[in-house]
Amino acid sequence: MVSRLRDQASWLLSRAHLRAHGVLQEAFAAAGSRPYHYRILAVLEEFGPLSQAELGRRAGIDPSDVTTSLDALGSLGFAAREADPLDRRRKRIRLTDAGRDELLRLDAVLGAVQKRFLAPLNSAEQAEFLRLIARLSDEPGPSRP
Amino acid sequence: MVSRLRDQASWLLSRAHLRAHGVLQEAFAAAGSRPYHYRILAVLEEFGPLSQAELGRRAGIDPSDVTTSLDALGSLGFAAREADPLDRRRKRIRLTDAGRDELLRLDAVLGAVQKRFLAPLNSAEQAEFLRLIARLSDEPGPSRP
DNA sequence: CTCATGTCAGATCAACTGAAATGG
DNA sequence: CCCATTTCAGTTTATCTGACATGA
């Protein structure tokens, strides 16, 4: 254990993230999906059909990556691109029935990941951890002019 | 806010990490350094001269990345590679006096980053957060055979 | 003219992989 | 022969940049 790093939030966070990210990747890959796909399906389910730009903003995904992910989700039949008659630049993205089923399937995968990741804490501690980290993650990111 | 993601530990962690990582990168870049460099200097200061392999294990850095970082630290005069007479495969890495000064300078940079990152929490909450995340980050990573 | 949108190629960065050379 | 160490080249993944064509 390196004493200079042991109590640094950024170090602990980076290690915890590495572990959570690894578990998440592993679980989604085993389920034949990806975290980006889940995030996109979740946004579509909650907010209904959206343009790609709006979808990206809600999901926190770069527009160019939205394009790539929708290519995959489209060919899997989970989302459909439709022309937007009101604005011909836009494409309306719609969740298909198969996409909704996929989302429910991935909900279970994600639930298992959370449980596995939080296992070292008891349930009161888990709630407290979520409360605190939510406040830390709500802050704006580093300066971006 | 996407309700399906809002309370997921992995999502919150990923956003908190993104912010912490951004702040950290920004601060170290402004100071003309990098997080890897700090970690290496910190390990050398605490454990004295080490082989690169041992240094990498202590700092949690891949051996090939240790090589690259030591090229930089060496040319800046902060660390020195020396032949190990006991095992001619090894190189003993020694912290120079300039490297020790650099470490102290970066201590201040890192301290400011922690303070800035944890600012949304009061001091009792900060301590609790560190305690909880330390337990989460101590767990082993995803399965690696 | 300006801005937004979707697309594409590629830059960047951290983390890692595989292989080679050297030596225990 | 097998394993450890250092180095190099290159892969992977997420994130982001810049450019472009289209159209509001």
Side-chain angles (χ1 to χ4, degrees):
Chain A
M1 182 59 59
V2 185
S3 62
R4 251 190 179 81
L5 300 176
R6 198 178 46 211
D7 298 325
Q8 301 294 342
S10 54
W11 168 253
L12 294 167
L13 202 51
S14 143
R15 300 209 333 171
H17 174 256
L18 205 60
R19 182 168 81 91
H21 182 259
V23 173
L24 193 70
Q25 277 303 125
E26 210 172 68
F28 273 74
S33 187
R34 302 165 156 274
Y36 270 13
H37 294 182
Y38 179 81
R39 280 154 65 176
I40 287 174
L41 295 175
V43 168
L44 289 175
E45 199 278 336
E46 183 164 351
F47 299 101
L50 293 175
S51 71
Q52 292 188 197
E54 190 55 30
L55 176 53
R57 282 188 289 265
R58 301 258 188 193
I61 300 175
D62 189 271
S64 65
D65 299 320
V66 171
T67 295
T68 311
S69 293
L70 284 179
D71 289 347
L73 289 170
S75 70
L76 290 165
F78 297 151
R81 283 186 173 99
E82 296 168 351
D84 183 332
L86 299 168
D87 185 336
R88 300 200 342 267
R89 292 171 306 179
R90 291 195 176 123
K91 299 177 183 175
R92 276 167 60 86
I93 311 302
R94 185 177 52 80
L95 187 63
T96 64
D97 289 344
R100 200 173 305 265
D101 290 348
E102 173 73 355
L103 178 60
L104 296 177
R105 188 177 74 89
L106 296 178
D107 277 340
V109 172
L110 183 59
V113 166
Q114 305 309 307
K115 197 174 160 193
R116 182 168 159 205
F117 175 77
L118 292 170
L121 305 183
N122 69 36
S123 92
E125 289 168 332
Q126 292 184 11
E128 179 67 0
F129 174 74
L130 291 175
R131 189 181 77 81
L132 295 174
I133 198 169
R135 285 171 56 202
L136 290 174
S137 65
D138 277 349
E139 283 297 298
S143 67
R144 189 180 301 287
Chain B
M1 182 59 59
V2 185
S3 62
R4 248 190 181 80
L5 301 176
R6 199 178 44 211
D7 298 324
Q8 301 294 341
S10 54
W11 168 254
L12 294 168
L13 202 52
S14 143
R15 301 207 333 168
H17 174 256
L18 203 60
R19 180 167 84 90
H21 182 258
V23 174
L24 193 70
Q25 278 302 126
E26 209 172 71
F28 273 73
S33 187
R34 301 163 157 275
Y36 271 10
H37 294 183
Y38 179 81
R39 281 155 64 178
I40 287 173
L41 295 175
V43 168
L44 290 175
E45 199 278 336
E46 183 163 352
F47 299 101
L50 293 174
S51 71
Q52 292 188 196
E54 190 56 30
L55 176 53
R57 282 188 289 267
R58 301 258 188 194
I61 300 175
D62 189 90
S64 65
D65 298 321
V66 171
T67 294
T68 310
S69 294
L70 284 179
D71 288 347
L73 289 170
S75 72
L76 289 165
F78 297 151
R81 283 185 172 100
E82 296 167 352
D84 184 332
L86 299 168
D87 185 337
R88 301 202 340 269
R89 294 170 303 179
R90 292 195 175 123
K91 299 178 182 174
R92 277 168 60 86
I93 311 302
R94 185 178 52 80
L95 187 63
T96 65
D97 289 344
R100 200 174 303 266
D101 290 347
E102 174 72 355
L103 178 60
L104 296 177
R105 188 177 73 90
L106 296 177
D107 277 339
V109 172
L110 182 59
V113 166
Q114 305 309 308
K115 197 174 159 193
R116 182 169 158 203
F117 175 77
L118 292 170
L121 305 182
N122 69 38
S123 92
E125 289 168 332
Q126 292 183 10
E128 180 68 1
F129 174 75
L130 291 174
R131 189 181 76 82
L132 295 173
I133 198 168
R135 284 172 56 201
L136 290 173
S137 64
D138 276 349
E139 283 297 298
S143 68
R144 188 180 304 285

